[in-house]
Amino acid sequence: FRAALHHFGICLSQRREWLGFDHVDVADVLLHMASIYTKENDFELAANFLQDSDEIWKSKLENSEKLLSVLMISGKRWKAIHRYEETEANFEQALEMAITLHGQKHELVADILLDLGEFLQEISQAQQAFFCFDESIEIRSALFG
């Protein structure tokens, strides 16, 4: 992992020099570096890189499929480092965005509800988790019978 971090560090420096500190390509490198630090169990550094990445993505992309995807990836990475407030915020923002982009009865909305429900169950919020699971099942039943 150290070699990967070294190369990502070089890439990050170059992109910041060429593109600026708030470019989405910089955010992408930060997100990858956060993933490696998570695997290294350096959750503090992972959180720093995730925070910087989230700030760039959210400032540069409006409601879009790309931002929705990044919110879900980032939410799962926040979850991996046990930062549950950030996890829930990203999942909920992704859910709101999916509903805005696709409407309530869409497979992606059901997928996000399932991920959110699993997260809520893990942090012992069973009632909210069951609500998400029920909503996900209802959407899938309406879509697929």
Side-chain angles (χ1 to χ4, degrees):
F1 290 124
R2 288 293 157 195
L5 285 171
H6 173 73
H7 291 292
F8 273 124
I10 292 169
C11 182
L12 180 62
S13 294
Q14 290 172 339
R15 288 185 186 195
R16 282 179 167 165
E17 181 182 332
W18 298 332
L19 304 170
F21 280 72
D22 64 345
H23 193 275
V24 293
D25 286 345
V26 170
D28 191 48
V29 173
L30 292 167
L31 192 60
H32 287 294
M33 291 179 80
S35 179
I36 293 171
Y37 280 116
T38 300
K39 291 174 183 167
E40 290 263 304
N41 291 320
D42 192 337
F43 295 162
E44 186 175 331
L45 274 176
N48 291 338
F49 282 96
L50 274 173
Q51 182 66 42
D52 291 347
S53 177
D54 278 359
E55 287 176 10
I56 295 169
W57 285 114
K58 290 175 184 179
S59 73
K60 294 296 180 180
L61 299 176
E62 295 185 21
N63 285 355
S64 67
E65 290 293 331
K66 178 65 178 175
L67 180 56
L68 190 134
S69 175
V70 168
L71 287 169
M72 290 305 297
I73 292 167
S74 181
K76 290 174 183 179
R77 294 207 175 127
W78 283 114
K79 180 180 162 188
I81 62 172
H82 313 289
R83 295 283 295 265
Y84 300 132
E85 186 176 315
E86 292 88 346
T87 303
E88 189 169 5
N90 277 28
F91 283 170
E92 287 179 352
Q93 188 176 355
L95 179 61
E96 289 173 16
M97 192 174 300
I99 291 169
T100 299
L101 292 171
H102 301 291
Q104 181 72 33
K105 303 295 183 192
H106 191 274
E107 186 175 8
L108 183 58
V109 173
D111 290 343
I112 295 169
L113 282 165
L114 184 60
D115 286 340
L116 180 58
E118 289 172 353
F119 162 69
L120 292 169
Q121 186 175 26
E122 287 179 26
I123 61 169
S124 301
Q125 294 185 16
Q127 187 173 3
Q128 291 172 316
F130 291 140
F131 173 79
C132 291
F133 293 145
D134 287 343
E135 287 292 309
S136 180
I137 291 169
E138 183 179 314
I139 293 168
R140 289 186 190 285
S141 295
L143 292 172
F144 306 114

